[in-house]
């Protein structure tokens, strides 16, 4: 079965670019955590306290997957790429929520980016179906 290339609308392109950017940032965040960089200082007595190296690998892998999904979304605009984008953005927001004790400001920025991705992917589909009516 051949995949059909669709035109990528503005909100889908916006979400794809944010996914590529957010995935790249999560990738670099993961590399920095794995290398045990001095950038990260763990907050003491935080409810969600995890190993920095373990979180580094999670962010590294999740960043690669989000980046690749963003490229697929930008190039195809397919429905499956949109669904994967929403799921991965949700996972990214959850991972960054749990990352707050290590780098609070950046974690909150990436949570906001993930929320914008979810909004853009869900909003674009709503407007497309309304225009088709």
């Amino acid at each position: 079965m051949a995949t059909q290339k669709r035109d990528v609308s503005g909100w889908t392109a916006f979400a794809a670019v944010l996914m590529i950017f957010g995935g790249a940032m999560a990738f670099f965040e993961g590399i920095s955590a794995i290398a045990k960089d001095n950038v990260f200082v763990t907050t003491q007595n935080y409810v969600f306290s995890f190993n920095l190296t373990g979180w580094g690998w999670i962010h590294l892998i999740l960043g690669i997957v989000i980046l690749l999904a963003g490229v697929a979304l930008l190039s195809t605009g397919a429905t499956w790429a949109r669904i994967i984008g929403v799921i991965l953005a949700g996972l990214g927001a959850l991972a960054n929520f749990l990352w707050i004790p290590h780098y609070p400001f950046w974690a909150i920025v990436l949570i906001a980016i993930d929320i914008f991705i979810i909004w853009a992917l869900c909003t674009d589909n709503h407007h497309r179906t309304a225009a088709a009516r």
Side-chain angles (χ1 to χ4, degrees):
M1 175 180 354
T3 58
Q4 188 177 29
K5 183 172 173 147
R6 290 181 16 188
D7 291 331
V8 178
S9 68
W11 288 118
T12 303
F14 174 71
V17 169
L18 283 180
M19 286 176 68
I20 292 168
F21 172 75
M25 292 299 103
F27 173 78
F28 291 127
E29 185 177 63
I31 287 176
S32 182
I34 291 168
K36 299 184 190 292
D37 197 353
N38 293 330
V39 171
F40 303 110
V41 178
T42 305
T43 305
Q44 298 297 323
N45 301 323
Y46 194 76
V47 176
F48 304 109
S49 180
F50 297 104
N51 183 354
L52 184 62
T53 304
W55 273 114
W57 281 106
I58 290 170
H59 281 281
L60 179 78
I61 293 167
L62 191 59
I64 291 169
V65 173
I66 290 173
L67 188 139
L68 292 174
V71 170
L73 180 62
L74 190 60
S75 65
T76 65
T79 303
W80 65 266
R82 296 165 61 84
I83 293 168
I84 296 295
V86 170
I87 292 169
L88 289 175
L91 288 174
L94 179 64
N96 282 303
F97 173 74
L98 296 173
W99 183 251
I100 288 176
H102 299 290
Y103 207 133
F105 178 74
W106 190 245
I108 291 170
V109 168
L110 287 178
I111 289 170
I113 288 172
D114 289 329
I115 290 170
F116 280 130
I117 290 168
I118 293 170
W119 174 81
L121 290 175
C122 293
T123 300
D124 187 48
N125 192 24
H126 172 74
H127 290 301
R128 182 174 290 123
T129 57
R133 290 184 207 161

